mmCIF file of all heavy atoms in Angstrom:
data_model
loop_
_atom_site.group_PDB
_atom_site.id
_atom_site.type_symbol
_atom_site.label_atom_id
_atom_site.label_comp_id
_atom_site.label_asym_id
_atom_site.label_seq_id
_atom_site.Cartn_x
_atom_site.Cartn_y
_atom_site.Cartn_z
ATOM 1 N N SER A 94 26.427 67.959 33.685
ATOM 2 C CA SER A 94 27.341 68.905 34.310
ATOM 3 C C SER A 94 26.752 70.303 34.289
ATOM 4 O O SER A 94 26.853 71.059 35.261
ATOM 5 C CB SER A 94 28.692 68.893 33.581
ATOM 6 O OG SER A 94 29.291 67.633 33.657
ATOM 7 N N LEU A 99 23.466 74.579 38.083
ATOM 8 C CA LEU A 99 22.374 75.530 38.244
ATOM 9 C C LEU A 99 22.137 75.903 39.701
ATOM 10 O O LEU A 99 21.681 76.990 40.007
ATOM 11 C CB LEU A 99 21.074 74.966 37.656
ATOM 12 C CG LEU A 99 21.064 74.767 36.146
ATOM 13 C CD1 LEU A 99 19.693 74.274 35.724
ATOM 14 C CD2 LEU A 99 21.403 76.041 35.415
ATOM 15 N N ARG A 135 -1.620 49.088 43.048
ATOM 16 C CA ARG A 135 -1.303 47.667 42.861
ATOM 17 C C ARG A 135 -1.610 47.189 41.445
ATOM 18 O O ARG A 135 -0.876 46.372 40.889
ATOM 19 C CB ARG A 135 -2.079 46.817 43.872
ATOM 20 C CG ARG A 135 -1.713 47.113 45.315
ATOM 21 C CD ARG A 135 -2.470 46.216 46.275
ATOM 22 N NE ARG A 135 -2.369 46.716 47.641
ATOM 23 C CZ ARG A 135 -2.807 46.066 48.701
ATOM 24 N NH1 ARG A 135 -3.351 44.868 48.551
ATOM 25 N NH2 ARG A 135 -2.684 46.585 49.904
ATOM 26 N N SER A 151 1.881 46.620 53.673
ATOM 27 C CA SER A 151 2.978 47.330 54.331
ATOM 28 C C SER A 151 3.678 48.271 53.364
ATOM 29 O O SER A 151 4.000 49.415 53.707
ATOM 30 C CB SER A 151 3.993 46.316 54.892
ATOM 31 O OG SER A 151 5.103 46.980 55.450
ATOM 32 N N SER A 198 14.166 66.788 25.799
ATOM 33 C CA SER A 198 13.271 65.800 26.391
ATOM 34 C C SER A 198 13.768 64.408 26.024
ATOM 35 O O SER A 198 14.063 64.142 24.863
ATOM 36 C CB SER A 198 11.842 65.999 25.873
ATOM 37 O OG SER A 198 11.360 67.280 26.217
ATOM 38 N N ASP A 236 12.770 54.254 52.180
ATOM 39 C CA ASP A 236 11.761 53.198 52.164
ATOM 40 C C ASP A 236 11.972 52.282 50.963
ATOM 41 O O ASP A 236 11.872 51.054 51.073
ATOM 42 C CB ASP A 236 10.348 53.801 52.092
ATOM 43 C CG ASP A 236 9.951 54.481 53.392
ATOM 44 O OD1 ASP A 236 10.441 54.052 54.453
ATOM 45 O OD2 ASP A 236 9.164 55.432 53.343
ATOM 46 N N VAL A 242 15.676 45.330 49.898
ATOM 47 C CA VAL A 242 16.363 44.332 50.720
ATOM 48 C C VAL A 242 15.363 43.355 51.339
ATOM 49 O O VAL A 242 15.599 42.144 51.378
ATOM 50 C CB VAL A 242 17.188 45.034 51.834
ATOM 51 C CG1 VAL A 242 17.796 43.986 52.775
ATOM 52 C CG2 VAL A 242 18.280 45.908 51.222
ATOM 53 N N TYR A 249 12.956 42.127 42.338
ATOM 54 C CA TYR A 249 13.014 41.514 41.013
ATOM 55 C C TYR A 249 12.161 42.295 40.011
ATOM 56 O O TYR A 249 12.601 42.579 38.892
ATOM 57 C CB TYR A 249 12.543 40.067 41.102
ATOM 58 C CG TYR A 249 12.478 39.349 39.771
ATOM 59 C CD1 TYR A 249 13.645 38.984 39.092
ATOM 60 C CD2 TYR A 249 11.251 39.047 39.194
ATOM 61 C CE1 TYR A 249 13.580 38.336 37.868
ATOM 62 C CE2 TYR A 249 11.174 38.392 37.969
ATOM 63 C CZ TYR A 249 12.351 38.045 37.310
ATOM 64 O OH TYR A 249 12.286 37.418 36.098
ATOM 65 N N LEU A 266 18.715 56.593 21.998
ATOM 66 C CA LEU A 266 20.040 57.128 21.698
ATOM 67 C C LEU A 266 20.493 56.692 20.314
ATOM 68 O O LEU A 266 21.028 57.490 19.533
ATOM 69 C CB LEU A 266 21.045 56.660 22.758
ATOM 70 C CG LEU A 266 22.503 57.101 22.556
ATOM 71 C CD1 LEU A 266 22.598 58.615 22.529
ATOM 72 C CD2 LEU A 266 23.386 56.518 23.655
ATOM 73 N N LEU A 269 18.697 58.788 17.776
ATOM 74 C CA LEU A 269 19.212 60.149 17.678
ATOM 75 C C LEU A 269 20.516 60.205 16.887
ATOM 76 O O LEU A 269 20.769 61.154 16.147
ATOM 77 C CB LEU A 269 19.431 60.730 19.077
ATOM 78 C CG LEU A 269 18.185 61.074 19.888
ATOM 79 C CD1 LEU A 269 18.573 61.506 21.289
ATOM 80 C CD2 LEU A 269 17.387 62.182 19.201
ATOM 81 N N ASP A 273 17.732 60.387 10.539
ATOM 82 C CA ASP A 273 17.448 61.784 10.224
ATOM 83 C C ASP A 273 16.195 62.215 10.985
ATOM 84 O O ASP A 273 15.540 61.410 11.656
ATOM 85 C CB ASP A 273 17.285 61.990 8.712
ATOM 86 C CG ASP A 273 16.178 61.118 8.115
ATOM 87 O OD1 ASP A 273 15.271 60.708 8.855
ATOM 88 O OD2 ASP A 273 16.240 60.849 6.905
ATOM 89 N N ASP A 291 -5.284 55.235 20.349
ATOM 90 C CA ASP A 291 -6.627 54.664 20.273
ATOM 91 C C ASP A 291 -6.741 53.913 18.951
ATOM 92 O O ASP A 291 -6.649 54.520 17.875
ATOM 93 C CB ASP A 291 -7.672 55.778 20.356
ATOM 94 C CG ASP A 291 -9.093 55.238 20.405
ATOM 95 O OD1 ASP A 291 -9.522 54.622 19.407
ATOM 96 O OD2 ASP A 291 -9.772 55.425 21.430
ATOM 97 N N ILE A 337 -2.333 64.334 17.702
ATOM 98 C CA ILE A 337 -1.962 63.674 16.462
ATOM 99 C C ILE A 337 -2.813 62.427 16.276
ATOM 100 O O ILE A 337 -3.007 61.648 17.210
ATOM 101 C CB ILE A 337 -0.466 63.308 16.468
ATOM 102 C CG1 ILE A 337 0.378 64.585 16.480
ATOM 103 C CG2 ILE A 337 -0.104 62.447 15.267
ATOM 104 C CD1 ILE A 337 1.865 64.334 16.610
ATOM 105 N N SER A 350 11.524 52.780 9.858
ATOM 106 C CA SER A 350 12.515 51.718 9.724
ATOM 107 C C SER A 350 13.636 52.086 8.776
ATOM 108 O O SER A 350 14.468 51.251 8.422
ATOM 109 C CB SER A 350 11.847 50.425 9.232
ATOM 110 O OG SER A 350 10.809 50.043 10.088
#
Side-chain angles (χ1 to χ4, degrees):
S94 298
L99 294 183
R135 297 182 194 187
S151 176
S198 299
D236 289 331
V242 175
Y249 176 71
L266 178 59
L269 289 174
D273 58 23
D291 185 295
I337 294 175
S350 304

